[in-house]
Each structure stands twice: as C-alpha cells, then as structure tokens.
Amino acid sequence: MTKEYYHSYNNLGICYQNLGEYESAIEYFKKSVSDPLDYYNLEICYTNIISCAKKMKNEILVKVTVNKLENILKKLKNKVLYQTYWNLGLSYLYLDEKKKTIHAFEREISFPLDLNHRFFHPTKYLDSIKHLALLHGHQPLKQQELIKIICKIPKQMMCYDFSMYILKFYINNSLEYEANLLIQKIQL
C-alpha cells in the first residue's frame, strides 16, 4: 500500500465508525498507515481506534492502543498536538486514571494558544479546562492557575456557556474566592 491511500482508508474507517460498525472501522484505520515511522498518521490512527474501542466498551483495546499512542507521543514530544492530548485525557478518564487524565488535559492547555494551528480546536481546548476544573475540585491554587489560563483566552473564542459552567462549578462547590476572581478577570 502507498501513502496515497492513507486518506481513503482513514475516511472509510470514519464512515464505518459513523455507521456503528466499529470493528470494520478499526480494520480500515489500521490499513490507513503504511509507514510505521509516520508518527502523525499513526497518532491519528490510534486516536480513531481508541474512539471505536470506547464505543465497543473494549477496555483492553483502549489500554493497548493508549499505550501505543503514548509511545508515539514520546517521539513527538516537542510537537504541538492539541487534540491528541484532549483525546488522551478522555481515554484516561474512561480508564479511571485520574493522574494521567490531569496530565493529559494540562498538556493540552500548556501549548501556546494558536487559533490558526491546524490541530487547534477551541471547543476541545475549553473542554480540557472544564475537565480540569472538575478534577482539581477543592484545590484553590490549581483553580487559580486555571483562571489565569482562562484569562488568556481571546474573547472571540470564549463562549458564555463555558464561563457559566466554570462559574456554577465554583459556586456550587463553595469556591467563592475563585468565583469572584473569575467574574473580575473575565468581566462577566
């Protein structure tokens, strides 16, 4: 198979995934990568397989594929891979691995904001912050670090629902200082 077929096999996998035929989707995702050193396409392949494995409730396949993805990320350690760390965070959340979940979401939001980056997805970036707010719970210093990150988000990217979600979380969990700080900083 040549590299030219990557997109065709990947797209077929996505079609089967959308039809709920996850085993067929996984086979096409595996076929989409012809070069074992093509880390970017392997990363996409593994992320897609993890997505299918979660739908199939196949925890073993999720774990095996997450392990493969972790190895790829070691080779791509200096690359900005926004969505990959969001997907990895969701996978760890699925596997109930809190420390790894936090690390993946923190890695996602640690990259400099680049709204024009081809892998940047504002909704996923904001979702990482929402997950971190929940995972950090009653840790005021961690919540204040998140507020600093939230303050750096451009207004055109920040949605009202996101701000209200975080604010409600703070209020419902008696984090009044953080709620007031958020209101002040983003001028709600």
Side-chain angles (χ1 to χ4, degrees):
M1 186 183 79
T2 62
K3 289 183 180 183
E4 291 82 41
Y5 292 111
Y6 164 77
H7 293 292
S8 299
Y9 282 124
N10 190 58
N11 289 339
L12 279 169
I14 291 169
C15 289
Y16 278 109
Q17 183 178 13
N18 290 336
L19 292 170
E21 296 182 28
Y22 303 115
E23 289 180 15
S24 295
I26 289 169
E27 289 308 311
Y28 280 103
F29 291 139
K30 287 179 180 177
K31 287 181 182 181
S32 70
V33 181
S34 62
D35 180 359
L37 297 177
D38 184 353
Y39 300 128
Y40 288 108
N41 289 335
L42 277 171
E43 176 265 326
I44 292 167
C45 168
Y46 293 151
T47 299
N48 289 336
I49 291 171
I50 290 168
S51 177
C52 289
K54 288 192 294 188
K55 294 281 187 181
M56 296 167 55
K57 298 184 183 346
N58 186 335
E59 193 170 315
I60 293 170
L61 182 57
V62 172
K63 285 181 180 181
V64 167
T65 311
V66 162
N67 188 289
K68 290 178 180 181
L69 182 57
E70 288 170 337
N71 290 330
I72 294 298
L73 291 175
K74 287 175 188 171
K75 293 176 169 91
L76 297 172
K77 64 182 173 186
N78 297 323
K79 304 296 180 195
V80 176
L81 298 167
Y82 294 104
Q83 294 182 47
T84 304
Y85 285 99
W86 176 79
N87 283 313
L88 194 58
L90 292 178
S91 297
Y92 289 136
L93 193 61
Y94 175 84
L95 295 170
D96 201 28
E97 295 186 28
K98 185 177 178 181
K99 285 183 181 180
K100 288 183 174 184
T101 302
I102 290 171
H103 177 66
F105 286 135
E106 285 179 341
R107 186 78 172 113
E108 162 82 6
I109 65 171
S110 71
F111 298 120
L113 270 177
D114 181 357
L115 302 180
N116 298 316
H117 191 281
R118 68 184 186 135
F119 294 120
F120 182 76
H121 194 282
T123 305
K124 293 175 181 179
Y125 185 87
L126 296 175
D127 189 59
S128 291
I129 294 172
K130 285 167 47 174
H131 282 293
L132 285 169
L134 296 174
L135 290 162
H136 288 318
H138 286 277
Q139 296 181 53
L141 293 177
K142 291 288 188 180
Q143 296 296 350
Q144 290 167 28
E145 287 175 26
L146 285 177
I147 291 171
K148 287 178 187 175
I149 292 168
I150 292 168
C151 290
K152 294 178 183 176
I153 298 172
K155 295 286 184 202
Q156 74 265 25
M157 190 179 125
M158 180 104 61
C159 64
Y160 179 78
D161 290 342
F162 167 78
S163 303
M164 288 295 103
Y165 179 90
I166 301 292
L167 186 58
K168 285 179 189 176
F169 172 78
Y170 289 158
I171 292 169
N172 291 339
N173 288 282
S174 302
L175 294 164
E176 291 88 9
Y177 176 79
E178 287 75 14
N180 287 327
L181 186 61
L182 181 66
I183 291 167
Q184 281 180 327
K185 295 288 185 180
I186 63 172
Q187 301 170 351
L188 284 176

